C-alpha cells in the first residue's frame, strides 16, 4: 500500500503542529519502518532523526531508553546501506556510549556493523578483532558460523591464507558436532 507511509507522514506532521509528542513519535517510527521495508533508507532517515528528537523530549524512562536504542540501530543500518559510513559510525559510537552494556541484544548487531564498517574502510586487523568479540558476546551457533565466514574472508584479505584455511576447517568440524 503506497499511501501508508504518506498517511504516517501526515499524522506526524499534524501531531507536531498540535504538540502531541507520543503520537508524533509513533507516526515517525511507523513512517520510517514502512520506508525501510521498501528499502527506501534515504527517506527513512528523516523520520528516524525526528523520532529520535521527539523521544528525547518525552519523559525519560527505561522504555524511552530502549526506543532510543532501536532508533539508533535503524539509523546505523540505513546509513550503512547508503554507504554513509561516517554517519553510521557516529551513531554507532553514540549507541555504544549509551547502551552497549545495558542493551545486550543490540550489542551483537552493533558489533557486527562495526566489523563491516572497519572492513570496508580497510581496517582489517581491527575488523578481525571486533569479529572475534562478537562471538564472545553471543556464542550461539549461527553467530559463530557467520563470524567464522567473515573472519576467514578478512584473513584472506590480509593474505593469511593458512590461518584462514585452519579457521574454515575448524568451523566445518564445529558444524559436524
Amino acid at each position: 500500500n503506497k499511501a501508508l507511509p504518506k498517511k504516517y507522514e501526515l499524522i506526524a506532521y499534524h501531531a507536531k503542529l498540535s504538540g502531541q509528542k507520543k503520537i508524533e513519535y509513533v507516526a515517525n517510527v511507523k513512517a520510517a519502518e514502512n520506508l525501510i521495508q521498501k528499502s527506501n533508507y534515504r527517506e527513512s532517515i528523516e523520520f528516524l532523526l525526528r523520532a529520535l528528537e521527539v523521544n528525547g523530549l518525552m519523559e525519560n524512562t527505561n522504555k524511552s531508553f530502549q526506543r532510543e536504542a532501536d532508533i539508533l540501530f535503524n539509523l546505523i543500518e540505513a546509513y550503512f546501506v547508503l554507504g554513509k559510513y561516517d554517519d553510521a559510525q557516529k551513531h554507532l559510537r553514540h549507541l555504544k556510549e549509551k547502551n552497549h552494556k545495558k542493551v545486550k541484544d543490540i550489542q551483537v548487531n552493533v558489533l557486527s556493523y562495526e566489523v563491516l564498517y572497519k572492513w570496508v574502510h580497510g581496517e582489517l586487523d581491527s575488523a578481525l578483532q571486533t569479529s572475534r568479540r562478537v562471538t564472545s558476546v553471543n556464542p550461539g551457533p549461527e553467530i559463530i558460523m557467520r563470524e567464522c565466514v567473515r573472519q576467514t574472508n578478512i584473513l584472506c584479505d590480509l593474505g593469511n591464507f593458512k590461518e584462514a584455511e585452519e579457521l574454515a576447517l575448524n568451523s566445518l568440524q564445529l558444524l559436524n558436532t
Side-chain angles (χ1 to χ4, degrees), residues 4-20:
L4 199 56
K6 298 292 183 196
K7 173 183 165 184
Y8 286 116
E9 287 178 33
L10 204 55
I11 292 170
Y13 173 76
H14 287 290
K16 180 179 180 179
L17 290 178
S18 64
Q20 297 175 350

Side-chain angles (χ1 to χ4, degrees), residues 11-12 15-16 18-30 51 54-55 57-59 61 63-64 67:
I11 292 170
K16 180 179 180 179
S18 64
Q20 297 175 350
K21 298 292 177 215
K22 288 182 182 178
I23 294 172
E24 182 184 1
Y25 168 80
V26 170
N28 276 295
V29 169
K30 291 291 186 187
V54 172
N55 186 58
L57 299 174
M58 296 191 309
E59 183 180 342
T61 64
K63 203 171 189 178
S64 65
R67 285 191 308 255

Side-chain angles (χ1 to χ4, degrees), residues 71-137:
I71 295 166
L72 285 169
F73 184 74
N74 285 328
L75 274 169
I76 292 164
E77 179 182 15
Y79 283 128
F80 193 84
V81 168
L82 292 171
K84 296 183 174 192
Y85 304 118
D86 291 335
D87 289 329
Q89 187 69 9
K90 178 181 90 174
H91 289 290
L92 179 63
R93 277 192 302 273
H94 183 74
L95 181 61
K96 284 173 65 177
E97 286 168 8
K98 297 192 89 174
N99 301 325
H100 81 93
K101 289 183 181 173
K102 295 183 180 179
V103 188
K104 189 172 181 174
D105 16 332
I106 291 178
Q107 187 176 10
V108 169
N109 292 327
V110 168
L111 286 171
S112 182
Y113 276 112
E114 188 173 344
V115 169
L116 293 174
Y117 177 85
K118 289 175 177 179
W119 193 3
V120 165
H121 280 82
E123 301 171 21
L124 301 178
D125 289 322
S126 184
L128 185 60
Q129 293 307 314
T130 303
S131 179
R132 290 177 175 149
R133 281 188 17 232
V134 171
T135 55
S136 70
V137 172

